[in-house]
Amino acid sequence: MIIGNHTGFFSYDKELLDEYMHNRSREIKEELILRYIPLVRQIAKQMWNVYSNFSQIDDIINEGVFVIMTALDRYEVDKNVKFESYVVKRL
């Protein structure tokens, strides 16, 4: 359950993402993960309202970080889908 508009919520840098897609640098991946943590936190807070009896918010955030890491590895630029749209569906 995702509520609200996530556009502009975090610092998105298309050039940095393109660079990561080209060379798969660990340092760039770490920077991208850091830039998407505010999005993960926002969605985790929304999910925690539903799952608070089952999980701690920190556990949900940690899982979200793993989702970002996996999404960066699986994202395909040539599909013409923004990375934000791609990753929000997985969070």
Side-chain angles (χ1 to χ4, degrees):
M1 178 167 99
I2 299 171
I3 301 168
N5 181 356
H6 304 288
T7 304
F9 186 78
F10 50 91
S11 177
Y12 173 71
D13 186 345
K14 184 177 180 338
E15 290 177 9
L16 190 61
L17 181 61
D18 289 344
E19 186 176 342
Y20 175 72
M21 292 295 121
H22 178 69
N23 66 26
R24 302 292 178 167
S25 162
R26 180 178 181 208
E27 292 81 18
I28 295 172
K29 183 177 184 179
E30 289 172 1
E31 177 63 29
L32 286 166
I33 291 166
L34 290 174
R35 290 179 184 221
Y36 284 99
I37 287 195
L39 177 63
V40 170
R41 284 189 180 134
Q42 180 190 24
I43 294 172
K45 287 178 185 176
Q46 293 170 4
M47 292 179 68
W48 190 70
N49 289 331
V50 175
Y51 298 108
S52 61
N53 292 333
F54 307 104
S55 184
Q56 299 293 320
I57 188 118
D58 290 339
D59 295 333
I60 297 170
I61 291 170
N62 287 337
E63 189 64 30
V65 171
F66 285 119
V67 169
I68 295 289
M69 292 167 63
T70 303
L72 283 167
D73 292 336
R74 295 182 180 172
Y75 178 67
E76 297 178 31
V77 177
D78 60 338
K79 299 286 185 182
N80 292 324
V81 175
K82 286 184 176 182
F83 182 74
E84 305 98 333
S85 301
Y86 176 80
V87 78
V88 164
K89 290 181 180 183
R90 282 144 186 80
L91 290 170

